[in-house]
Amino acid sequence: MHDAVWLNAKLATMAPHGAIVDGALAVTQGRISWVGPRPGWKDQARDEHDARGAWLLPGFVDCHTHLVYAGNRAHEFELRLKGASYEDIAKAGGGIVSTVRATCAASDAELVALAQRRLGQWLREGAAVIEVKSGYGLDRDTELKMLRVARQLTGLAVKTTFLGAHALPEEYKGRADDYINFVCDEVLPAAAAEKLVDAVDAFCERIAFNRHQTARIFDAAKHLGLPVKLHADQLSDLGGAALAAKYGALSADHLEYTSEQGVEAMARAGTAAVLLPGAFYFLRETRLPPISALRRSHVPIALATDHNPGSSPLSSPLLAMNMACTLFHFTPEEALAGFTIHGARALGMQATHGTLEVGKVADFALWEVDSPAELAYAIGANPCVGVVRNGNSVQRP
Ligand code: NIG
Ligand code: FE
């Protein structure tokens, strides 16, 4: 006896066996316990739901966000519209460190309220998992505060990534190596001791940290047994993707300037690519990530919103999918895979999320569309008509 079954559903399983147009999906104790064509469903379930022909997809996995912060950077947006670049603003003391000032000044309760309100959009779009990074503290207490705040968010599963090496705080000007030592010796171990860290990230870039400093961070993560990811080759090619691959990273993210060799190294290491069309769009980048090379090398390509106040104030997985199609020439199917099976892979959650398969967590959403491709095609629509979390239908905000 299963706990519940959804009948009259179209299933976009996102697994190798593809779509099932007249499907049934059953759940038991929060896990998927049966998936297949409805005529094959002979079991019994305590609750029977009529999906009314809706498409059922795995809950979206947004594998790269900076959701916890205070303030906003609308003023910098205006400066950029007048011609300033993201790098100019960062070098002039704005950018990430301006969000750091606002985030340090905010209380835990304020940060929780702000992030939970932002999260409403993900919940309305049926997201099941969100990754949230620290990196707007850059001191021990605020980095830990951000991770604790992220862990308090409710409505979906949260993965927390430590991004202490996001930018150089003002008080360390000219002493980047000292800051990296501080992060590796004090901040990361403290966050890990409190079990606040699921993965460790860094920003490897001309305006942030070099390869050597990034490797120090990765060594410290390895020492603590934590997986790594990297903001790699977003504005220039520092060989970030290859470095991430060398450390067996879960993912290398952005990748606009990644070389063919970088892609090959990722393929060999099993490192997923995370492409972030929101930042590409908002910074009006023109250099495309090496999408053909990633496809050719069979690197799993995840997509994410990169929600943050500076380079990607984007709160919609659906819009990110549309952007990936229009800007990165993704097919709608690739876009959907980017927010499901590959997004889960980029967080090391492929055993529990990303597809509709027996044994996985019963986190899925129902969509009133004729085909799944419509989700990537429409701009600003939200045809989500139901969300199921751990096997239970939930009310969306
Ligand atoms: O992913 N690249 C670095 N981090 C963010 C931007 C953060 C910010 O500008 O506040 C990103 O684009
Ligand atoms: Fe980012």
Side-chain angles (χ1 to χ4, degrees):
M1 177 74 84
H2 303 257
D3 288 346
V5 65
W6 278 258
L7 299 170
N8 197 14
K10 301 189 179 91
L11 307 176
T13 66
M14 305 313 296
H17 49 273
I20 303 170
V21 286
D22 180 15
L25 182 143
V27 304
T28 304
Q29 290 184 348
R31 298 270 171 166
I32 297 173
S33 49
W34 199 94
V35 190
R38 177 191 166 110
W41 167 254
K42 307 275 188 245
D43 292 2
Q44 304 231 305
R46 261 184 291 279
D47 286 331
E48 223 175 82
H49 302 276
D50 180 359
R52 298 164 192 269
W55 275 95
L56 218 140
L57 270 82
F60 294 145
V61 179
D62 192 348
C63 65
H64 180 143
T65 85
H66 308 252
L67 189 75
V68 172
Y69 60 87
N72 70 73
R73 306 237 290 276
H75 174 63
E76 292 179 8
F77 176 53
E78 291 185 52
L79 292 178
R80 284 198 301 102
L81 291 174
K82 289 189 189 132
S85 75
Y86 183 73
E87 284 183 270
D88 294 339
I89 291 168
K91 282 183 196 138
I96 293 171
V97 297
S98 69
T99 300
V100 169
R101 286 188 284 270
T103 305
C104 288
S107 70
D108 294 34
E110 283 164 345
L111 290 173
V112 171
L114 286 166
Q116 191 68 46
R117 192 168 70 210
R118 289 176 197 127
L119 197 57
Q121 189 59 30
W122 281 261
L123 301 177
R124 285 188 284 277
E125 292 187 8
V129 180
I130 193 166
E131 183 254 20
V132 181
K133 299 175 194 293
S134 70
Y136 291 128
L138 312 185
D139 65 42
R140 184 178 180 280
D141 290 351
T142 315
E143 284 295 307
L144 267 62
K145 173 172 84 174
M146 287 186 70
L147 295 168
R148 284 188 213 109
V149 164
R151 291 279 177 100
Q152 285 176 53
L153 300 175
T154 57
L156 41 51
V158 175
K159 284 279 179 179
T160 47
T161 297
F162 176 79
L163 179 55
H166 193 194
L168 191 63
E170 284 154 327
E171 61 275 23
Y172 277 91
K173 205 164 179 196
R175 298 189 294 128
D177 287 330
D178 290 347
Y179 178 65
I180 291 294
N181 288 338
F182 166 66
V183 169
C184 292
D185 298 341
E186 292 186 41
V187 192
L188 176 57
E194 243 188 79
K195 302 230 176 306
L196 292 170
V197 185
D198 295 314
V200 175
D201 194 350
F203 188 16
C204 184
E205 191 55 68
R206 290 185 302 229
I207 53 170
F209 299 100
N210 64 32
R211 272 222 313 261
H212 179 71
Q213 290 156 346
T214 303
R216 279 271 291 124
I217 296 282
F218 284 178
D219 286 329
K222 244 187 152 162
H223 182 71
L224 293 164
L226 295 167
V228 300
K229 326 165 66 67
L230 188 64
H231 282 71
D233 311 329
Q234 178 187 9
L235 307 168
S236 60
D237 182 9
L238 291 194
L243 178 67
K246 185 172 157 210
Y247 280 82
L250 285 172
S251 71
D253 304 29
H254 286 289
L255 306 180
E256 277 81 348
Y257 285 83
T258 297
S259 65
E260 292 258 350
Q261 291 91 308
V263 172
E264 284 159 22
M266 288 172 66
R268 280 195 299 275
T271 295
V274 178
L275 301 190
L276 304 164
F280 181 91
Y281 164 83
F282 197 65
L283 298 183
R284 296 204 220 188
E285 296 293 339
T286 50
R287 168 133 173 171
L288 287 166
I291 297 150
S292 312
L294 291 166
R295 284 187 183 123
R296 240 188 348 265
S297 306
H298 303 289
V299 173
I301 309 175
L303 274 180
T305 61
D306 192 16
H307 177 93
N308 75 73
S311 69
S312 185
L314 168 62
S315 306
S316 167
L318 291 173
L319 184 51
M321 283 187 228
N322 178 273
M323 287 177 171
C325 295
T326 51
L327 301 172
F328 291 170
H329 309 283
F330 272 42
T331 65
E333 198 171 332
E334 286 175 321
L336 289 163
F339 264 102
T340 54
I341 183 168
H342 299 322
R345 164 80 182 262
L347 294 178
M349 297 178 83
Q350 61 271 32
T352 54
H353 285 81
T355 63
L356 301 178
E357 289 179 286
V358 170
K360 292 213 179 176
V361 173
D363 279 351
F364 50 88
L366 287 84
W367 301 89
E368 211 166 69
V369 287
D370 292 330
S371 72
E374 262 179 64
L375 299 179
Y377 145 85
I379 301 172
N382 181 8
C384 185
V385 291
V387 171
V388 174
R389 194 74 70 237
N390 292 312
N392 299 309
S393 293
V394 295
Q395 208 70 38
R396 284 169 305 136

